[in-house]
Amino acid sequence: MYDIENYYNAETIKEAVTLLKEHPEARIISGGSDVLIKIREGKLAGTSLVCIRDIKELKGIIKMDSGDIYIGAGTTFSHITSDPVIQENIPVLGEAVDQVGGPQIRNIGTIGGNICNGAVSADSAPALFSLNAMIRTADGSGGRTVPIHDFYLGPGKVDVKPGELVTHILIPEKEYTGYHGHYIKYSMRRAMDIATLGCCVVSRINPSANILEDIRITFGVAAPVPLRCVKTEEALKGSPVNEKLYQAIEDKVREEIHPRDSWRASREFRLQIGGEIARRALERTVELAAGGERK
Amino acid sequence: MKKERVLVQCTVNGKEVAEYVDPGESLLEMLRNRLGLTSVKKGCEVGECGACTVIVDGETIDSCIYLAVWAEGRNIRTLEGLEKNGELTRIQEAFIEEGAVQCGFCTPGFIMSATVLLEKGEVLTREAIKKQMSGNLCRCTGYQNIVNAVEKVMKENADQK
Ligand SMILES: Cc1cc2nc3c(=O)[nH]c(=O)nc-3n(C[C@H](O)[C@H](O)[C@H](O)COP(=O)(O)OP(=O)(O)OC[C@H]3O[C@@H](n4cnc5c(N)ncnc54)[C@H](O)[C@@H]3O)c2cc1C
Ligand code: FES
Ligand code: FES
């Protein structure tokens, strides 16, 4: 039995906002794979819940007329991975969330819950950062649009105000057209483990000139919030694609990330791995740009 | 308000069910305690082990981290619903043939994950089978025999096509 004070079910976004405003002490529950665990552990015992699972508007993926991709906050990981719009336009996101937990967790966990939980280990975060995703909220008076970079405020803290919920994520057309991405999750056990370190590289290559035109590198678990390696990115843009570039990404990433020691891995180990996976992720995007098959 | 029960109507193993449940009750508790479906095992209760795996609308979930109220209107399948006229399904037989059952605690959960996988009709590599079964833990068998059983039935099904 879960120790829940009151349980309120919302069937529309409007209802959810009303319930959240009426019951400021209540917490949103979507897939529940973070919230229920915290109730079980006692951290959230006795909480009240506003359930948003029945809100149809929060589910599904659409490519809009503008070319922007709309991802409902309540869409589960398995539905993201199997979605044709994702596979065709931003396969890196589908591949990243396919590395969450096991199948049962991917069938209940939602992308909205993943980012709102605020964990640096969230497997969707590095890809969303490297795709310059925009987060849309509803609050009963128009809502807000927040770039994902500003959405993470600190460990476990995100920019969702009382009485507000995240409705969807937008990937603007200009942020993915012509780009290729790859996410590498490094964890100690193969399956069912949270990332020790995760890195997503999204790049745009000019194949005829063999130049790296643009690159976005994001690490999960390398700092208190997901970290874009802006300095490394600036240093690499415009470089010819060759071994020198791959060595440069390794070296510069190691200077830029600030992983900490933890029982999972030491700082030195994470720095070593960090350079390595950034390099491999970039190499893979170069292969993809050259027409390499998705695995 | 707290102790007020909620009516949940759903289909469990092909039968219509109506139960009054507590809002804090897990689906695991509803299936075991109210419906007597004891194949649904209570293991870790935090979504790690998969012993409580059931199929909801065609997808596997861990029933320990799924609220009973969420079952409203849904189609739920447990191991008890698999047999037809007292006969085991092919994957259940294959688990026995391949020695994929030792203490048996994890078996119902593995069978449910395998069932969904086999119903999709895809032929997967061993690696891919392992990935699809990674939400289920077994302390006894070392997994090889479990993967053997799934692989065997997958091949049989493919040959029959
Ligand atoms: C066994 C296990 C393994 C796991 N492995 C991984 C893993 O490998 N990688 C990984 O990234 N995660 C993992 N997780 C964590 C979890 O599954 C994910 O973070 C998941 O995305 C959470 O989504 P949810 O819908 O279940 O969230 P919930 O638990 O419902 O909610 C999570 C948080 O977000 C808030 N919230 C949810 N939706 C909204 C919304 N629309 N607007 C505002 N706030 C909202 C909730 O109030 C809560 O604070 C694992 C969990 C378990 C139990
Ligand atoms: S008992 Fe549900 S996953 Fe372990
Ligand atoms: S057979 Fe004992 S846990 Fe799997």
Side-chain angles (χ1 to χ4, degrees):
Chain A
M1 195 70 70
Y2 287 98
D3 183 2
I4 296 170
E5 181 66 29
N6 291 310
Y7 181 88
Y8 311 100
N9 193 42
E11 290 191 7
T12 61
I13 292 172
K14 205 166 152 229
E15 247 178 66
V17 170
T18 308
L19 282 166
L20 288 167
K21 292 210 186 325
E22 277 170 16
H23 309 282
E25 76 295 348
R27 180 169 282 268
I28 294 172
I29 188 165
S30 185
S33 60
D34 284 312
V35 170
L36 290 178
I37 304 298
K38 286 182 187 159
I39 295 176
R40 187 81 84 201
E41 287 171 345
K43 283 185 216 152
L44 283 180
T47 186
S48 291
L49 297 174
V50 170
C51 180
I52 61 170
R53 313 170 52 87
D54 286 348
I55 307 180
K56 292 197 184 65
E57 306 140 87
L58 294 184
K59 295 197 168 92
I61 295 159
I62 310 162
K63 185 165 176 176
M64 304 196 298
D65 292 340
S66 60
D68 298 355
I69 295 171
Y70 173 112
I71 306 168
T75 314
T76 59
F77 295 128
S78 55
H79 288 198
I80 291 172
T81 303
S82 64
D83 189 88
V85 169
I86 297 286
Q87 289 175 357
E88 208 170 292
N89 300 283
I90 41 173
V92 62
L93 184 63
E95 290 162 7
V97 300
D98 196 37
Q99 299 192 37
V100 171
Q104 293 94 323
I105 299 294
R106 295 195 287 273
N107 286 337
I108 54 159
T110 66
I111 191 158
N114 201 222
I115 57 168
C116 291
N117 193 46
V120 270
S121 56
D123 279 307
S124 67
L128 291 174
F129 271 70
S130 283
L131 288 166
N132 287 332
M134 305 296 274
I135 312 299
R136 269 298 292 174
T137 70
D139 54 12
S141 52
R144 297 181 300 141
T145 304
V146 186
I148 187 134
H149 311 95
D150 300 332
F151 187 72
Y152 274 75
L153 302 176
K157 247 191 96 50
V158 294
D159 186 11
V160 178
K161 301 201 159 46
E164 195 178 35
L165 78 155
V166 171
T167 55
H168 60 273
I169 296 165
L170 280 177
I171 313 290
E173 193 264 346
K174 66 174 175 27
E175 306 294 353
Y176 69 86
T177 304
Y179 287 84
H180 292 88
H182 189 61
Y183 174 65
I184 297 179
K185 174 178 182 173
Y186 186 90
S187 53
M188 292 311 200
R189 284 189 294 151
R190 260 184 69 86
M192 287 295 281
D193 202 359
I194 63 162
T196 300
L197 203 57
C199 176
C200 181
V201 171
V202 168
S203 77
R204 195 179 70 224
I205 313 278
N206 179 334
S208 51
N210 197 39
I211 294 282
L212 176 68
E213 287 182 338
D214 196 9
I215 182 165
R216 308 183 198 125
I217 309 161
T218 313
F219 276 89
V221 214
V225 294
L227 175 76
R228 268 286 288 275
C229 295
V230 188
K231 283 188 208 146
T232 307
E233 292 174 8
E234 285 311 317
L236 300 181
K237 273 182 212 171
S239 305
V241 179
N242 55 28
E243 177 54 33
K244 215 173 124 212
L245 171 69
Y246 298 136
Q247 193 55 51
I249 191 172
E250 264 198 74
D251 298 342
K252 293 201 183 314
V253 154
R254 288 193 183 115
E255 285 164 26
E256 197 167 1
I257 59 176
H258 307 284
R260 59 191 179 96
D261 278 309
S262 83
W263 60 270
R264 277 180 191 276
S266 71
R267 180 185 153 76
E268 285 67 38
F269 181 70
R270 281 205 171 95
L271 279 175
Q272 179 58 34
I273 295 295
E276 185 75 34
I277 60 178
R279 175 201 182 102
R280 279 199 231 158
L282 172 59
E283 284 177 347
R284 182 72 189 131
T285 64
V286 170
E287 273 171 42
L288 290 167
E293 292 258 314
R294 288 247 160 216
K295 278 178 222 157
Chain B
M1 174 112 206
K2 189 174 180 179
K3 294 296 160 218
E4 208 171 280
R5 294 235 167 111
V6 185
L7 178 66
V8 172
Q9 290 176 285
C10 56
T11 308
V12 178
N13 295 331
K15 289 193 205 79
E16 302 288 325
V17 172
E19 289 287 335
Y20 281 93
V21 302
D22 190 285
E25 190 168 326
S26 68
L27 181 60
L28 167 74
E29 287 163 329
M30 178 181 121
L31 295 172
R32 278 186 73 86
N33 304 343
R34 297 187 192 277
L35 302 175
L37 298 169
T38 51
S39 78
V40 189
K41 298 296 177 215
K42 188 163 159 175
C44 65
E45 282 196 282
V46 286
E48 302 263 358
C49 76
C52 64
T53 304
V54 301
I55 303 174
V56 177
D57 290 346
E59 295 179 349
T60 53
I61 57 115
D62 296 314
S63 60
C64 68
I65 52 168
Y66 191 98
L67 294 180
V69 292
W70 295 346
E72 176 64 34
R74 302 198 176 270
N75 183 13
I76 295 155
R77 295 163 67 196
T78 72
L79 187 91
E80 285 85 350
L82 293 185
E83 52 128 33
K84 288 204 178 70
N85 312 319
E87 294 207 1
L88 297 181
T89 57
R90 187 63 198 109
I91 184 65
Q92 288 174 299
E93 286 172 357
F95 263 60
I96 300 167
E97 292 160 11
E98 295 298 318
V101 183
Q102 284 184 32
C103 80
F105 189 79
C106 68
T107 314
F110 267 106
I111 297 281
M112 299 319 283
S113 290
T115 298
V116 166
L117 204 55
L118 291 165
E119 284 175 355
K120 280 190 191 149
E122 295 166 18
V123 181
L124 303 178
T125 62
R126 266 186 96 76
E127 268 314 295
I129 294 173
K130 278 188 200 156
K131 178 163 193 244
Q132 292 306 319
M133 308 292 276
S134 65
N136 294 80
L137 302 183
C138 175
R139 285 168 306 171
C140 309
T141 66
Y143 302 101
Q144 294 308 325
N145 295 352
I146 293 173
V147 180
N148 291 347
V150 178
E151 206 176 23
K152 184 175 184 179
V153 179
M154 207 171 256
K155 282 198 181 123
E156 286 172 8
N157 291 350
D159 292 344
Q160 277 167 20
K161 271 186 202 156

PDB file of all heavy atoms in Angstrom, chain A residues 48-59:
ATOM      1  N   SER A  48      -0.058  14.135  -1.357  1.00  0.00           N
ATOM      2  CA  SER A  48      -1.258  14.048  -2.188  1.00  0.00           C
ATOM      3  C   SER A  48      -0.817  14.074  -3.639  1.00  0.00           C
ATOM      4  O   SER A  48       0.232  14.610  -3.962  1.00  0.00           O
ATOM      5  CB  SER A  48      -2.191  15.234  -1.917  1.00  0.00           C
ATOM      6  OG  SER A  48      -2.732  15.125  -0.623  1.00  0.00           O
ATOM      7  N   LEU A  49      -1.626  13.485  -4.507  1.00  0.00           N
ATOM      8  CA  LEU A  49      -1.231  13.364  -5.915  1.00  0.00           C
ATOM      9  C   LEU A  49      -2.285  13.919  -6.855  1.00  0.00           C
ATOM     10  O   LEU A  49      -3.489  13.750  -6.625  1.00  0.00           O
ATOM     11  CB  LEU A  49      -1.002  11.883  -6.265  1.00  0.00           C
ATOM     12  CG  LEU A  49       0.128  11.153  -5.532  1.00  0.00           C
ATOM     13  CD1 LEU A  49       0.112   9.671  -5.883  1.00  0.00           C
ATOM     14  CD2 LEU A  49       1.482  11.776  -5.881  1.00  0.00           C
ATOM     15  N   VAL A  50      -1.825  14.591  -7.910  1.00  0.00           N
ATOM     16  CA  VAL A  50      -2.694  14.935  -9.035  1.00  0.00           C
ATOM     17  C   VAL A  50      -2.228  14.084 -10.203  1.00  0.00           C
ATOM     18  O   VAL A  50      -1.092  14.218 -10.672  1.00  0.00           O
ATOM     19  CB  VAL A  50      -2.600  16.439  -9.402  1.00  0.00           C
ATOM     20  CG1 VAL A  50      -3.320  16.718 -10.720  1.00  0.00           C
ATOM     21  CG2 VAL A  50      -3.168  17.296  -8.285  1.00  0.00           C
ATOM     22  N   CYS A  51      -3.083  13.176 -10.631  1.00  0.00           N
ATOM     23  CA  CYS A  51      -2.690  12.235 -11.675  1.00  0.00           C
ATOM     24  C   CYS A  51      -3.015  12.805 -13.057  1.00  0.00           C
ATOM     25  O   CYS A  51      -4.124  13.274 -13.299  1.00  0.00           O
ATOM     26  CB  CYS A  51      -3.416  10.911 -11.471  1.00  0.00           C
ATOM     27  SG  CYS A  51      -2.970   9.707 -12.728  1.00  0.00           S
ATOM     28  N   ILE A  52      -2.035  12.780 -13.959  1.00  0.00           N
ATOM     29  CA  ILE A  52      -2.227  13.370 -15.294  1.00  0.00           C
ATOM     30  C   ILE A  52      -2.210  12.307 -16.398  1.00  0.00           C
ATOM     31  O   ILE A  52      -2.168  12.631 -17.579  1.00  0.00           O
ATOM     32  CB  ILE A  52      -1.165  14.468 -15.577  1.00  0.00           C
ATOM     33  CG1 ILE A  52       0.257  13.879 -15.531  1.00  0.00           C
ATOM     34  CG2 ILE A  52      -1.300  15.624 -14.584  1.00  0.00           C
ATOM     35  CD1 ILE A  52       1.341  14.847 -16.035  1.00  0.00           C
ATOM     36  N   ARG A  53      -2.260  11.015 -16.018  1.00  0.00           N
ATOM     37  CA  ARG A  53      -2.149   9.942 -17.015  1.00  0.00           C
ATOM     38  C   ARG A  53      -3.308   9.891 -17.994  1.00  0.00           C
ATOM     39  O   ARG A  53      -3.144   9.385 -19.100  1.00  0.00           O
ATOM     40  CB  ARG A  53      -2.121   8.564 -16.366  1.00  0.00           C
ATOM     41  CG  ARG A  53      -1.244   8.380 -15.237  1.00  0.00           C
ATOM     42  CD  ARG A  53      -1.525   7.056 -14.582  1.00  0.00           C
ATOM     43  NE  ARG A  53      -1.509   5.955 -15.507  1.00  0.00           N
ATOM     44  CZ  ARG A  53      -0.427   5.274 -15.855  1.00  0.00           C
ATOM     45  NH1 ARG A  53       0.733   5.591 -15.349  1.00  0.00           N
ATOM     46  NH2 ARG A  53      -0.526   4.283 -16.697  1.00  0.00           N
ATOM     47  N   ASP A  54      -4.497  10.331 -17.539  1.00  0.00           N
ATOM     48  CA  ASP A  54      -5.674  10.209 -18.404  1.00  0.00           C
ATOM     49  C   ASP A  54      -5.824  11.396 -19.354  1.00  0.00           C
ATOM     50  O   ASP A  54      -6.792  11.472 -20.101  1.00  0.00           O
ATOM     51  CB  ASP A  54      -6.947  10.079 -17.545  1.00  0.00           C
ATOM     52  CG  ASP A  54      -7.050   8.694 -16.905  1.00  0.00           C
ATOM     53  OD1 ASP A  54      -6.280   7.805 -17.310  1.00  0.00           O
ATOM     54  OD2 ASP A  54      -7.889   8.513 -16.001  1.00  0.00           O
ATOM     55  N   ILE A  55      -4.888  12.336 -19.312  1.00  0.00           N
ATOM     56  CA  ILE A  55      -5.010  13.524 -20.174  1.00  0.00           C
ATOM     57  C   ILE A  55      -4.504  13.190 -21.577  1.00  0.00           C
ATOM     58  O   ILE A  55      -3.302  13.055 -21.797  1.00  0.00           O
ATOM     59  CB  ILE A  55      -4.224  14.725 -19.580  1.00  0.00           C
ATOM     60  CG1 ILE A  55      -4.645  14.973 -18.131  1.00  0.00           C
ATOM     61  CG2 ILE A  55      -4.423  15.967 -20.442  1.00  0.00           C
ATOM     62  CD1 ILE A  55      -3.919  16.141 -17.454  1.00  0.00           C
ATOM     63  N   LYS A  56      -5.442  13.051 -22.513  1.00  0.00           N
ATOM     64  CA  LYS A  56      -5.065  12.599 -23.859  1.00  0.00           C
ATOM     65  C   LYS A  56      -4.154  13.600 -24.568  1.00  0.00           C
ATOM     66  O   LYS A  56      -3.260  13.219 -25.316  1.00  0.00           O
ATOM     67  CB  LYS A  56      -6.318  12.362 -24.700  1.00  0.00           C
ATOM     68  CG  LYS A  56      -7.113  11.178 -24.187  1.00  0.00           C
ATOM     69  CD  LYS A  56      -8.123  10.659 -25.201  1.00  0.00           C
ATOM     70  CE  LYS A  56      -8.961   9.546 -24.601  1.00  0.00           C
ATOM     71  NZ  LYS A  56      -9.812  10.020 -23.472  1.00  0.00           N
ATOM     72  N   GLU A  57      -4.394  14.908 -24.297  1.00  0.00           N
ATOM     73  CA  GLU A  57      -3.595  15.950 -24.976  1.00  0.00           C
ATOM     74  C   GLU A  57      -2.108  15.844 -24.644  1.00  0.00           C
ATOM     75  O   GLU A  57      -1.283  16.427 -25.341  1.00  0.00           O
ATOM     76  CB  GLU A  57      -4.053  17.350 -24.537  1.00  0.00           C
ATOM     77  CG  GLU A  57      -5.529  17.627 -24.711  1.00  0.00           C
ATOM     78  CD  GLU A  57      -6.084  18.419 -23.528  1.00  0.00           C
ATOM     79  OE1 GLU A  57      -6.011  19.659 -23.569  1.00  0.00           O
ATOM     80  OE2 GLU A  57      -6.573  17.796 -22.563  1.00  0.00           O
ATOM     81  N   LEU A  58      -1.771  15.141 -23.570  1.00  0.00           N
ATOM     82  CA  LEU A  58      -0.362  15.064 -23.170  1.00  0.00           C
ATOM     83  C   LEU A  58       0.381  13.925 -23.862  1.00  0.00           C
ATOM     84  O   LEU A  58       1.565  13.722 -23.633  1.00  0.00           O
ATOM     85  CB  LEU A  58      -0.243  14.871 -21.654  1.00  0.00           C
ATOM     86  CG  LEU A  58      -0.710  16.014 -20.763  1.00  0.00           C
ATOM     87  CD1 LEU A  58      -0.437  15.690 -19.302  1.00  0.00           C
ATOM     88  CD2 LEU A  58      -0.015  17.323 -21.136  1.00  0.00           C
ATOM     89  N   LYS A  59      -0.353  13.161 -24.688  1.00  0.00           N
ATOM     90  CA  LYS A  59       0.285  11.978 -25.266  1.00  0.00           C
ATOM     91  C   LYS A  59       0.481  12.107 -26.767  1.00  0.00           C
ATOM     92  O   LYS A  59      -0.355  12.668 -27.454  1.00  0.00           O
ATOM     93  CB  LYS A  59      -0.584  10.745 -24.998  1.00  0.00           C
ATOM     94  CG  LYS A  59      -0.657  10.454 -23.510  1.00  0.00           C
ATOM     95  CD  LYS A  59      -1.134   9.047 -23.238  1.00  0.00           C
ATOM     96  CE  LYS A  59      -0.909   8.695 -21.794  1.00  0.00           C
ATOM     97  NZ  LYS A  59      -2.006   8.957 -20.914  1.00  0.00           N
TER      98      LYS A  59
END
